[in-house]
């Protein structure tokens, strides 16, 4: 039901790697390490600044893909991959967008399901790609039926 | 200080066993990540979805797992981090985080990573490629 959305992009959205958000996120994953949250440790590090944990891009706004009307409930997260050119620095501005890479429907023992592949990207203010976040989302038959009804 | 660059094939990082998962852990993660899917925090919504109880966000466990590498950011950084979500984590589950070297080159170390329940079930499995600075 989302085949038509393959290749579609969202609008780009400006995000900031906010110090408070990084602190809260690091705490929520039980990883309040000085490299993430202590300003002095950040300055003294090879990065010259605090960095964000690798799964922090979960927090960013990636814009909307009009052709992709996902339900709010019932989605299953199957797989997640991050590729980085370098760690994210606290305070920097990142432009994020997302694209539908693929959509397929498969029939298995628990009925048919949709497999959606999304790729989020983050660029610095010079337009250099900093990270890609690939996500595989499984949409069960029950959820798809609910949407069509 | 122990370093990653001296690790050999088959060597492991010090594993970490998390305290039993609490509802507050998941409420905190929902707030910090912006993922408010109620199956992670509200019993009734989890039951409506056919689950025996609320389940942890897969990304909560994936986020936790990455901390095995946090002490080593002066040596390099996580270039690729790939995870398959294989099982559900419920309240009171005790999760152990593990990483083992499976491949090495001059500038990269690849680790098998997993989050394992006390039953031996791997709820997350994947790989982390650590890029080493020159």
């Amino acid at each position: 039901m989302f085949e038509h959305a393959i290749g579609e992009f969202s609008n780009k959205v400006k995000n900031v790697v906010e110090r408070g958000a990084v602190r809260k996120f690091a705490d929520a994953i039980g990883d309040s390490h000085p490299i993430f949250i202590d300003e002095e440790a950040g300055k003294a590090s090879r990065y010259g600044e605090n960095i964000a944990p690798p799964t922090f891009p979960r927090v960013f706004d990636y814009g909307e893909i009009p052709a992709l009307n996902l339900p709010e409930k019932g989605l299953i997260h199957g797989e997640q991959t991050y590729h980085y050119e370098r760690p994210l620095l606290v305070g920097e501005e990142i432009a994020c967008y997302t694209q539908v890479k693929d959509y397929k429907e498969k029939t298995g023992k628990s009925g048919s399901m949709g497999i959606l592949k999304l790729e989020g990207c983050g660029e610095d203010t010079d337009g250099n790609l900093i990270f890609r976040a690939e996500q595989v989302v499984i949409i069960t038959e029950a959820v798809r039926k609910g949407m069509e009804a | 200080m122990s370093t990653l660059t001296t690790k050999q094939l088959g060597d492991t990082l010090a594993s970490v066993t998390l305290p039993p998962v609490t509802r507050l852990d998941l409420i905190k993660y929902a707030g910090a990540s912006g993922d408010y899917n109620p199956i992670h925090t509200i019993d009734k919504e989890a039951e409506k979805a056919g689950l025996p109880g609320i389940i942890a966000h897969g990304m909560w466990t994936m986020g936790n797992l990455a901390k095995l590498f946090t002490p080593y950011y002066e040596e390099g950084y996580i270039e690729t981090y790939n995870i398959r979500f294989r099982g559900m984590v419920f309240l009171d589950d005790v999760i152990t985080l593990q990483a083992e070297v499976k491949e090495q080159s001059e500038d990269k170390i690849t680790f098998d990573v997993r989050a394992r329940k006390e039953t031996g079930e791997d709820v997350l499995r994947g790989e982390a490629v650590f890029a080493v600075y020159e």
Side-chain angles (χ1 to χ4, degrees), chain B residues 83-103:
Chain B
I83 285 294
R84 275 173 186 265
F85 302 102
R86 304 158 53 96
M88 290 184 275
V89 174
F90 296 98
L91 293 183
D92 297 322
D93 277 349
V94 174
I95 304 293
T96 299
L97 312 170
Q98 301 171 328
E100 177 181 329
V101 178
K102 78 162 178 189
E103 224 180 288

Side-chain angles (χ1 to χ4, degrees), chain A residues 27-31 33 36 45-47 51 54-55 58-59 73 77-85 87, chain B residues 28 32-33 35 45 59-60 62-64 66-67 70 73-74 76-85 133:
Chain A
D27 179 46
I29 56 170
D31 199 11
H33 190 280
F36 300 137
S45 76
R46 68 177 301 134
Y47 305 100
I51 61 174
T55 61
R58 185 78 183 86
V59 171
K73 294 180 193 175
H77 198 173
E79 193 174 336
Q80 179 74 37
T81 308
Y82 291 101
H83 296 284
Y84 278 94
E85 301 300 319
Chain B
K28 271 167 78 176
S33 69
D35 182 348
E45 292 290 335
M59 292 298 295
W60 176 79
M62 184 176 180
N64 267 278
K67 72 180 149 204
T70 305
Y73 277 111
E74 283 299 310
Y77 67 99
I78 297 178
E79 183 193 76
T80 301
Y81 185 26
N82 164 252
I83 285 294
R84 275 173 186 265
F85 302 102
Y133 296 121

